[in-house]
């Protein structure tokens, strides 16, 4: 059995956040690119059926592809992240998935409110202020990162590497 994740991949963000993620996010070192989590953990990989894959395709096919920009730095107690603006389309995707898979709440059910975000650095305490300053400086130099996700991805971790098991196109 392996862990799975439903996410929006945001390769456009790598130029701004890639070096931070390589250093401060263990998932990046295991092959998981810049992304916005929709549901984690999702379903153990051994339990994913063709019917579930079809349900994921159906959910995605009814939702317009989200467009957003990443220009604002946010934080949780030990995480530095970028906020997608507007957040509402991403919240709508996560909510549709939660309705389709009620046993698998958005954010894994660990947090009362789902906050769409692209994690840049995790488990940071002492270096948090410096990371925020550097990330804001990079955004000022680069400008906002614009994202358009044509599909959502089902990703699987075997505890060493993340790999994509499926892509589910959004309504175009």
């Amino acid at each position: 059995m392996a862990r799975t994740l439903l996410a929006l991949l945001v390769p456009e963000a790598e130029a701004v956040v890639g070096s931070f993620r390589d250093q401060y996010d263990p998932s990046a070192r295991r092959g998981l690119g810049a992304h916005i989590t929709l549901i984690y953990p999702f379903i153990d990989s051994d339990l994913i059926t063709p019917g579930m894959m079809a349900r994921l395709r159906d959910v995605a096919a009814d939702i317009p592809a989200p467009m957003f920009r990443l220009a604002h730095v946010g934080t949780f107690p030990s995480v530095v992240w970028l906020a997608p603006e507007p957040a509402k389309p991403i919240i709508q995707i996560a909510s549709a998935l939660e309705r389709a898979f009620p046993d698998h709440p958005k954010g894994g059910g660990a947090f009362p409110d789902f906050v769409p975000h692209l994690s840049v650095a995790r488990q940071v305490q002492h270096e948090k202020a410096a990371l925020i300053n550097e990330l804001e400086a990079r955004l000022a130099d680069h400008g906002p990162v614009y994202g358009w996700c044509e599909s959502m991805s089902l990703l699987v971790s075997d505890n060493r590497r993340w790999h994509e098991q499926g892509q589910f196109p959004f309504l175009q």
Side-chain angles (χ1 to χ4, degrees):
M1 250 189 296
R3 292 177 292 159
T4 62
L5 158 72
L6 287 172
L8 302 175
L9 299 182
V10 189
E12 302 89 348
E14 290 293 342
V16 174
V17 303
S19 62
F20 288 132
R21 292 189 71 253
D22 287 343
Q23 186 172 357
Y24 296 104
D25 188 342
S27 67
R29 292 189 295 273
R30 293 192 317 268
L32 183 56
H35 66 283
I36 297 170
T37 297
L38 299 168
I39 298 180
Y40 178 81
F42 183 46
I43 297 170
D44 288 334
S45 61
D46 294 347
L47 302 176
I48 294 175
T49 65
M52 289 177 176
M53 298 292 275
R55 195 173 344 154
L56 287 167
R57 271 191 299 281
D58 292 345
V59 169
D62 285 340
I63 300 172
M67 296 177 72
F68 53 87
R69 68 187 195 116
L70 301 165
H72 170 73
V73 178
T75 63
F76 297 133
S78 65
V79 179
V80 176
W81 47 273
L82 293 177
E85 300 167 350
K88 186 176 179 180
I90 297 167
I91 292 169
Q92 289 171 332
I93 295 166
S95 295
L97 288 166
E98 189 174 45
R99 285 189 302 276
F101 298 93
D103 293 340
H104 306 282
K106 55 190 178 264
F111 306 100
D113 296 314
F114 176 69
V115 178
H117 63 281
L118 188 148
S119 293
V120 176
R122 294 177 24 205
Q123 303 305 319
V124 292
Q125 301 293 334
H126 305 293
E127 57 273 87
K128 189 172 172 181
L131 287 168
I132 292 166
N133 290 337
E134 176 62 24
L135 186 54
E136 287 174 341
R138 284 188 190 184
L139 285 170
D141 289 344
H142 180 276
V145 174
Y146 291 93
W148 182 49
C149 296
E150 296 181 26
S151 62
M152 70 177 164
S153 296
L154 173 63
L155 300 137
V156 177
S157 170
D158 62 7
N159 291 323
R160 289 185 300 277
R161 299 291 298 167
W162 282 95
H163 62 275
E164 192 170 56
Q165 183 170 332
Q167 276 191 353
F168 307 93
F170 291 115
L171 181 65
Q172 300 294 318

